[in-house]
Every structure is written in structure tokens, then in C-alpha cells.
Amino acid sequence: MSVPFSGRDLFAALSVVVIWGLNFVAMKWALADFTPFQLGVWRYVFAALPLVLIVRRPDVPWRWIVAYGLCQGVGQFGVLFIALQVGMTAALASVLMQTQVFFTALLGVVLLGEQLSRPLKWGLVWAAIGLGCFAMNYLGGAAAAGTTLLGFVLNLVSAAMWASSNIVARRTQQVAGSYDALGFVVWSAVVPIVPFVLLSLAFDAPALRWQWIDAPLSSWLAVAYLGWCATIMAYALWTGLLKRHPASRVAPFSLGVPVIGLAAGMGLLGEQVSPWQWAGGACIVMALLVVLVSARWQARR
């Protein structure tokens, strides 16, 4: 039986929202000087080192560490990096990634036997309306600049892989019991490095294989942010929440990410926010409020 959200859990969830919201801007900056696969390599090198040398491996079977590393590393971020390169804005990517809520809820019900509460269902309805507003904006052509259909599809695939990593984390807790969330994230960060190296050797053009050597300090700082903040700090907090609460309850907090992502894309990258995007953002905030207010109300019962 899950426990209600504490103030500490709420702070952790909202911290993750801010970190991940800025995450998309950092990706865009880094992709100016790294290929998607090179960015994957260095993101996880930063994420793994030096902590893998000092943080003890969690007492869980290797298959769960590997599964999480592949789903969250190669699956979610490898595909997302490609989407951002072939045609996706940081602002819209931050929105489309929130379809992982629907994938997570569905997988949680099918694979973990979790139940969808009535407030969560209403939250998902508001989220669906919000994403529909963004879709209307995109389909109407107003947000098509800087995006492509391939980028759109890959973004959704990335969201599905995020949902898969959520389920792996929750399943690991069910099978292995209590484990160290930080150790789990650090050791799983080792897993994507070799696959990304092999993908870079196989698919990156020879002329681009060593371009990262000349990357400016700003791009390396973006990579460090992706590795240390967006991966280690945020995913340790996120995995810790998934250990204590059902995936279908934790996942809706990510609906706040596009609010930060849109603001960051507009303020730092000069991306425009259309009326449809503002409407979608308002609906997503409403979805988050529905879930948060419900959680607080249930905790007082």
C-alpha cells in the first residue's frame, strides 16, 4: 500500500520539474557541437563519473540495472537527441515528452496491476485537452517552424521509452525491495555508454566523429548539466519517488515540465509561444493541480 506524499516528496517532485524543464535548452545547446550519439556518450560519462567509483552498487539483480539504463539512456534520450536534431524545438519537445504520462499509466495498469484514481483520471483528461491544444497548434502550421514529422514521431517514441523506464524502476522495487535510488541511477548510467559509442561509430559521418574535441566551454557545461543535474540528481529523486509511490501517481508531476520548458525556450532560445501553446500550458497546469490537491486531501483523511 502506498503512503501519501510528504512535504519532502513534494519538494523533490517539483525540483525535478524545474531541472527537467531546463534540460531541453541544455540539449539544444549541446547538440550544436555534438552529434546525438556523442552527446549520449558524454552525458552518461559525466553521469557515471566519478560517482560510480564511490557509490556502492545497489543490491538488485544486474538485469534491472541494465534494463533501466537501456530504456532511460539509449531509448529515451538517444531517440530524443535525434528528434531534436532532425526537427524539434526545445519548447515543443518538453510538451510532447509528457505523453509519457499516458504510456506510464497504461503500462502501470497492465503490467503492475495499479489502479487509476478518479482525480488522476480527471488530471489525465485535462492533460489530454492540453496536449490537444498543442497538437492543434502544430497541425495548424503555427508551430511547424523548426519541427518535422520525423522529429514529432521520434519525440513520441522517446516518451514511450521514458514510460518504460518508469515501469522498470517500479518493478525493481517490487522484486528487489528497498534499494538505494542514487546507486541505482549511477550504476545504470554506465550501461548506455558502450551502446552510444557503437552507434556513433556506426552512424556518425567520419568528418563528425571528433567534432566534440573542439566544442566550446558552454557546450561542455551543458553536457555537465545533463549528466550531473538532469540525470543523477533528478533521476535519483524521481526513482526514489517511484520506490515509495505507484508509477501512476508519480508520473503526473512531470506535467509541470513543459511549463518550465516553454518559458525557457522562449526566454533563452527566443522561441515563440502561440495562443494555442498558452492554452495547452494552462490545461497542463490544471491537470497538475488536480493531482496535487487530491494528494493533499487524501493525506488529511
Side-chain angles (χ1 to χ4, degrees):
M1 183 177 179
S2 64
V3 297
F5 261 69
S6 65
R8 182 178 178 181
D9 287 336
L10 179 59
F11 179 78
L14 295 179
S15 296
V16 172
V17 166
V18 174
I19 292 171
W20 280 344
L22 297 175
N23 190 36
F24 297 91
V25 172
M27 292 179 200
K28 274 290 192 181
W29 277 341
L31 284 169
D33 298 288
F34 297 82
T35 69
F37 300 134
Q38 289 169 359
L39 183 55
V41 171
W42 285 107
R43 173 178 183 143
Y44 286 98
V45 167
F46 273 76
L49 296 176
L51 291 179
V52 74
L53 302 176
I54 58 179
V55 175
R56 183 178 179 181
R57 184 175 71 85
D59 187 21
V60 300
W62 268 108
R63 65 181 180 273
W64 297 111
I65 296 175
V66 172
Y68 186 84
L70 292 176
C71 289
Q72 186 258 357
V74 180
Q76 178 184 345
F77 285 104
V79 175
L80 179 58
F81 293 159
I82 297 172
L84 289 169
Q85 186 183 62
V86 302
M88 185 53 56
T89 63
L92 187 55
S94 70
V95 174
L96 294 177
M97 286 302 292
Q98 305 324 306
T99 58
Q100 65 87 14
V101 172
F102 304 101
F103 292 118
T104 300
L106 179 60
L107 291 175
V109 170
V110 174
L111 300 178
L112 304 181
E114 296 178 355
Q115 301 295 320
L116 295 179
S117 65
R118 180 173 296 180
L120 179 57
K121 292 177 181 178
W122 278 110
L124 293 177
V125 169
W126 276 105
I129 295 172
L131 292 177
C133 290
F134 287 113
M136 288 293 295
N137 188 84
Y138 179 74
L139 294 175
T147 67
T148 64
L149 179 59
L150 178 59
F152 181 83
V153 172
L154 289 175
N155 212 151
L156 294 180
V157 172
S158 174
M161 295 307 301
W162 182 2
S164 298
S165 70
N166 288 341
I167 298 302
V168 169
R170 187 64 177 169
R171 182 59 178 163
T172 301
Q173 188 274 331
Q174 292 179 343
V175 173
S178 180
Y179 63 90
D180 177 52
L182 177 60
F184 186 73
V185 173
V186 168
W187 281 84
S188 67
V190 178
V191 175
I193 296 174
V194 172
F196 274 129
V197 169
L198 296 177
L199 288 168
S200 179
L201 291 174
F203 295 105
D204 285 345
L208 300 178
R209 287 179 182 171
W210 300 100
Q211 70 170 357
W212 54 271
I213 294 178
D214 298 321
L217 178 60
S218 59
S219 290
W220 283 109
L221 290 176
V223 174
Y225 178 86
L226 294 174
W228 291 333
C229 297
T231 301
I232 295 301
M233 182 186 296
Y235 275 96
L237 293 173
W238 189 254
T239 304
L241 290 170
L242 288 169
K243 284 175 54 184
R244 296 186 294 275
H245 305 283
S248 57
R249 177 179 293 183
V250 175
F253 279 90
S254 66
L255 294 171
V257 172
V259 178
I260 303 298
L262 284 169
M266 180 176 62
L268 299 176
L269 299 179
E271 296 174 348
Q272 299 298 314
V273 179
S274 71
W276 275 116
Q277 288 176 324
W278 285 120
C283 291
I284 287 174
V285 170
M286 178 61 71
L288 181 60
L289 287 175
V290 167
V291 176
L292 288 175
V293 171
S294 172
R296 284 184 171 273
W297 181 77
Q298 290 179 355
R300 293 175 181 175
R301 293 183 62 184

